Amino acid sequence: FYEGHDDGFSLDDKRNQLYKSDFAGDLPDVVERWHQRDLTKNTDRKEKTFFVPVADIRENKYDLSINRYKEVVYKEEEYESPKVILRKLMEIEADITKGVSELREKL
């Protein structure tokens, strides 16, 4: 499997080239990875490219949707406390008010 995102063309019916250069999206990477493929090494389902045993594909009734096989890893996000966010927001607002006042004086 290869998780491609961009072939260098728009997704509408016109399929216009998206880039001025010869960039072809993920296609050159697909070809390079195909030539360097190794059935024993490329088995990590968290990667952009990976191999799946045919038994798994049979088990999924030959459904080749990558989402059936790709392992998604979610990164836990940490956020500042609401008090810290509110304090920063108030500082930003004070800077804006100061800037508006200075601008008003110049007019």
Side-chain angles (χ1 to χ4, degrees), residues 10-57:
S10 64
L11 295 177
D12 59 9
D13 60 343
K14 293 180 179 60
R15 299 288 288 154
N16 296 321
Q17 189 171 358
L18 295 174
Y19 310 101
K20 292 181 182 180
S21 67
D22 290 337
F23 177 71
D26 290 326
L27 298 179
D29 187 45
V30 170
V31 172
E32 181 180 333
R33 288 181 190 235
W34 176 257
H35 290 295
Q36 296 175 1
R37 69 192 180 279
D38 184 342
L39 295 171
T40 60
K41 292 182 181 176
N42 300 83
T43 57
D44 185 357
R45 294 184 185 196
K46 296 178 207 113
E47 296 296 323
K48 185 175 186 112
T49 318
F50 58 92
F51 289 100
V52 174
V54 71
D56 290 1
I57 295 172

Side-chain angles (χ1 to χ4, degrees), residues 13-102:
D13 60 343
K14 293 180 179 60
R15 299 288 288 154
N16 296 321
Q17 189 171 358
L18 295 174
Y19 310 101
K20 292 181 182 180
S21 67
D22 290 337
F23 177 71
D26 290 326
L27 298 179
D29 187 45
V30 170
V31 172
E32 181 180 333
R33 288 181 190 235
W34 176 257
H35 290 295
Q36 296 175 1
R37 69 192 180 279
D38 184 342
L39 295 171
T40 60
K41 292 182 181 176
N42 300 83
T43 57
D44 185 357
R45 294 184 185 196
K46 296 178 207 113
E47 296 296 323
K48 185 175 186 112
T49 318
F50 58 92
F51 289 100
V52 174
V54 71
D56 290 1
I57 295 172
R58 270 191 216 109
E59 193 175 295
N60 282 303
K61 299 179 182 165
Y62 298 94
D63 184 345
L64 296 178
S65 303
I66 193 167
N67 295 335
R68 290 204 175 269
Y69 307 97
K70 181 141 177 100
E71 189 176 324
V72 179
V73 178
Y74 295 99
K75 180 182 168 191
E76 187 171 330
E77 295 289 332
E78 292 187 26
Y79 298 98
E80 296 175 320
S81 72
K83 286 182 181 181
V84 171
I85 294 171
L86 187 58
R87 179 183 49 78
K88 288 181 177 181
L89 181 60
M90 291 173 72
E91 290 171 2
I92 292 170
E93 203 164 318
D95 286 345
I96 291 171
T97 302
K98 179 182 172 189
V100 169
S101 295
E102 290 172 3

